[in-house]
Amino acid sequence: MFIDQSLEGHMAAKSTLRMLRPKKLIGSNAIRIGRNFDGGYVMIDHFSGIDAAYSLGINDDVSWDLDIVKHGIPIYQYDPTIAALPVEHPLFHWEPVWIGGVEKAEENVQTLENLIIRNGHQDKNNMLLKCDIEGAEWPVLQNIPNEILRKFSQMVFEIHDINMISQPEKMEGVRNALYNLTASHHIVHVHGNNYGGWTVIGGIPLPNVIEVTLLRKDMGEFVDSEETFPTELDMPCDRTRCDMHLGRFVF
């Protein structure tokens, strides 16, 4: 665990983390989608009229995907680290493709924007996104047009190495990525992945890996959340260790 007790680190961390302040959609209810422990995410129970879902990063777990297809939603899945899906389903559409900030055809890297166009979803504006691509989310968020993110009414991101906000040479890229992520969406849930450990930045303890759920800002009226995290729906990713307590995650 790295510890930075500097005033500069404190101010930099607070100004960046304020972008992630959790909100609550008035009248909404949360549910857990996916398996217990690692692989499950807390989302808002709003799945009617969804056109499609994108699942970036699979590994050996399609429990989130299986819960989503129960609503009749087709899922487009991308992960080149596996030879085949662990479970098949008629609504699953998997390709062994890397997701990146820019297309690199020779390296089998595609952008989410290109995949949406290729799948004929360029005119769809009510989709779901789950992204767990082990740090590759940063170049994606730094490069993807926000108009593409706005096509997703609800998104779940696992954000790796959030502790980069303590590194001056990476601060601008981190802030640009988080600004893009939250320009059209509100954070409605946050959870610390206890596999990733902690960093203390300017006296602020912060999980190195956080899971965030976001809703598009036009989905209704939002207020500041009064919840403390983890909630009763959360579970530690590593079941052998206690969950990470984030409080209200307000800075």
Side-chain angles (χ1 to χ4, degrees):
M1 179 177 67
F2 171 77
I3 299 179
D4 168 15
Q5 294 285 27
S6 69
L7 180 60
E8 293 81 2
H10 179 80
M11 298 305 294
K14 285 188 68 173
S15 65
T16 302
L17 293 171
R18 285 192 187 107
M19 287 190 278
L20 304 182
R21 176 168 185 165
K23 300 281 187 177
K24 180 176 177 58
L25 175 63
I26 293 178
S28 64
N29 295 305
I31 59 172
R32 187 175 180 86
I33 300 293
R35 66 187 180 185
N36 292 339
F37 306 105
D38 195 25
Y41 300 91
V42 176
M43 300 184 69
I44 301 305
D45 191 4
H46 185 87
F47 300 104
S48 61
I50 299 296
D51 298 307
Y54 280 71
S55 182
L56 314 182
I58 299 294
N59 199 354
D60 63 351
D61 174 31
V62 289
S63 61
W64 183 88
D65 312 63
L66 287 169
D67 277 353
I68 293 299
V69 296
K70 291 177 183 177
H71 299 275
I73 301 168
I75 293 195
Y76 295 79
Q77 305 154 304
Y78 301 94
D79 191 329
T81 68
I82 55 177
L85 290 174
V87 177
E88 295 288 348
H89 190 281
L91 293 178
F92 285 178
H93 307 277
W94 167 72
E95 290 185 58
V97 171
W98 297 103
I99 306 298
V102 295
E103 179 184 355
K104 299 178 182 178
E106 68 282 3
E107 299 177 20
N108 195 28
V109 177
Q110 276 292 342
T111 66
L112 181 57
E113 180 178 13
N114 285 349
L115 293 172
I116 287 173
I117 293 171
R118 193 166 77 185
N119 295 329
H121 295 152
Q122 60 269 29
D123 296 323
K124 303 299 183 182
N125 294 295
N126 194 19
M127 298 192 290
L128 303 176
L129 173 63
K130 185 266 287 179
C131 180
D132 179 7
I133 51 178
E134 304 303 322
E137 66 275 5
W138 290 110
V140 170
L141 289 173
Q142 289 163 359
N143 289 278
I144 191 170
N146 187 258
E147 65 189 51
I148 299 300
L149 291 179
R150 289 199 301 268
K151 294 184 176 295
F152 298 97
S153 54
Q154 187 165 187
M155 305 188 296
V156 177
F157 271 81
E158 187 160 284
I159 301 177
H160 299 78
D161 302 315
I162 189 73
N163 53 307
M164 288 191 299
I165 62 176
S166 67
Q167 303 173 31
E169 71 278 10
K170 297 182 178 179
M171 172 63 76
E172 183 178 1
V174 169
R175 289 184 62 86
N176 288 342
L178 295 181
Y179 179 82
N180 194 25
L181 179 66
T182 57
S184 53
H185 291 73
H186 283 308
I187 303 283
V188 294
H189 191 87
V190 61
H191 178 251
N193 186 320
N194 66 345
Y195 277 116
W198 289 90
T199 294
V200 178
I201 303 172
I204 299 172
L206 184 68
N208 294 328
V209 181
I210 61 173
E211 301 161 356
V212 294
T213 304
L214 304 100
L215 291 182
R216 201 169 56 217
K217 293 178 180 179
D218 64 3
M219 291 183 64
E221 183 178 354
F222 292 82
V223 295
D224 289 340
S225 175
E226 298 295 329
E227 287 186 296
T228 58
F229 303 97
T231 68
E232 61 183 11
L233 293 173
D234 285 303
M235 294 183 181
C237 295
D238 180 354
R239 68 182 70 193
T240 67
R241 295 187 289 170
C242 63
D243 219 340
M244 291 180 160
H245 287 262
L246 308 180
R248 290 179 58 210
F249 210 66
V250 174
F251 301 93

